[in-house]
Amino acid sequence: MKLIYIVDDSQSDREGMKQYLELSGYEVQAFEDLHGVQVAIAKQVPDLLLQDVNLPDGDGFSYIKKLKQNYIFPVIFVSARTAESDRILGFELGADDYICKPFSSKELVLRVHALFRRIDMSVSAFRSGSSWLLGNSIMQLDEVSHLFSIDGKQVPLTAAEWRIMSYLVSNSGILITRSQILEHCFDYSFESYDRIVDTHVKNMRAKMGPLGSQWIETVRGYGYRFAGHSTASHSIADDQE
């Protein structure tokens, strides 16, 4: 049973979300402030955090920014702050989704289901791990152990970045549009969210080092393409030679 933490200063919102998620088969713990969830995370890391933004003891955006430095579990913002700038900021901070209040309980449950489904699909796609070459550089991706490295140096990725990387790698050499990434990795297909994809890719490239923009190529006006070559196919070609 997956464990979900809820942080919301509205008692009615907390209880409503908790009730419907528990009816859907999830284990749920709810907190009214940041202090409560900080203590809980220190004891047990959840499978998902539903995070409000305006809280009595701090700002949800600032908290998630710090949280993502040490944890990679997925986060969904649930907030009455509905401005596009707020939604974009949420994604830039590494959130996997952003749900605007008011919302229906059915929508919440469906979005949580969709998130876990995407994560499970991403894990199964690379169950045995994979290695990739780009010149003399080697990339290794293993979703079972959740390890991603380049030339032996581990690269930390958020849950959203993992899904994008997995999707690009599974389509190595193929042009992937921003719309395809949105639909496959975020369940979005709106043009206004293209900036989310660009932001995630920019962050991923920065973490990957000097060759980041070469591993993930930009196809101007369209999208991105993973440029690595599988070591498995490379070995086969070497054997044939």
Side-chain angles (χ1 to χ4, degrees), residues 87-100:
R87 300 197 305 272
I88 293 296
L89 176 59
F91 284 108
E92 289 179 338
L93 293 174
D96 297 85
D97 203 347
Y98 195 111
I99 301 176
C100 297

Side-chain angles (χ1 to χ4, degrees), residues 61-124:
F61 287 145
S62 299
Y63 174 63
I64 294 302
K65 182 178 181 180
K66 294 179 181 178
L67 186 75
K68 285 295 184 178
Q69 296 175 3
N70 299 303
Y71 297 96
I72 59 173
F73 58 79
V75 173
I76 297 178
F77 279 110
V78 182
S79 175
R81 291 174 60 167
T82 61
E84 180 180 3
S85 58
D86 288 322
R87 300 197 305 272
I88 293 296
L89 176 59
F91 284 108
E92 289 179 338
L93 293 174
D96 297 85
D97 203 347
Y98 195 111
I99 301 176
C100 297
K101 297 181 181 182
F103 57 88
S104 70
S105 299
K106 183 177 181 179
E107 177 190 2
L108 172 69
V109 171
L110 288 175
R111 293 227 193 175
V112 170
H113 283 342
L115 174 60
F116 284 133
R117 183 172 63 250
R118 293 193 300 268
I119 292 173
D120 292 342
M121 289 174 61
S122 179
V123 170
S124 63

Side-chain angles (χ1 to χ4, degrees), residues 106-164:
K106 183 177 181 179
E107 177 190 2
L108 172 69
V109 171
L110 288 175
R111 293 227 193 175
V112 170
H113 283 342
L115 174 60
F116 284 133
R117 183 172 63 250
R118 293 193 300 268
I119 292 173
D120 292 342
M121 289 174 61
S122 179
V123 170
S124 63
F126 291 93
R127 192 161 296 281
S128 60
S130 58
S131 296
W132 302 84
L133 288 172
L134 183 67
N136 295 321
S137 185
I138 300 177
M139 172 189 293
Q140 292 183 315
L141 182 72
D142 187 345
E143 298 241 17
V144 175
S145 59
H146 226 255
L147 293 177
F148 174 65
S149 65
I150 295 179
D151 298 329
K153 182 178 180 181
Q154 188 171 341
V155 180
L157 297 179
T158 67
E161 291 167 355
W162 268 102
R163 292 198 301 276
I164 295 174

Side-chain angles (χ1 to χ4, degrees), residues 206-235:
K207 294 178 181 179
M208 293 165 70
L211 296 180
S213 60
Q214 296 182 39
W215 280 107
I216 304 176
E217 298 177 335
T218 297
V219 181
R220 190 171 299 278
Y222 293 95
Y224 300 97
R225 177 170 49 222
F226 179 72
H229 302 280
S230 172
T231 56
S233 60
H234 181 78
S235 297

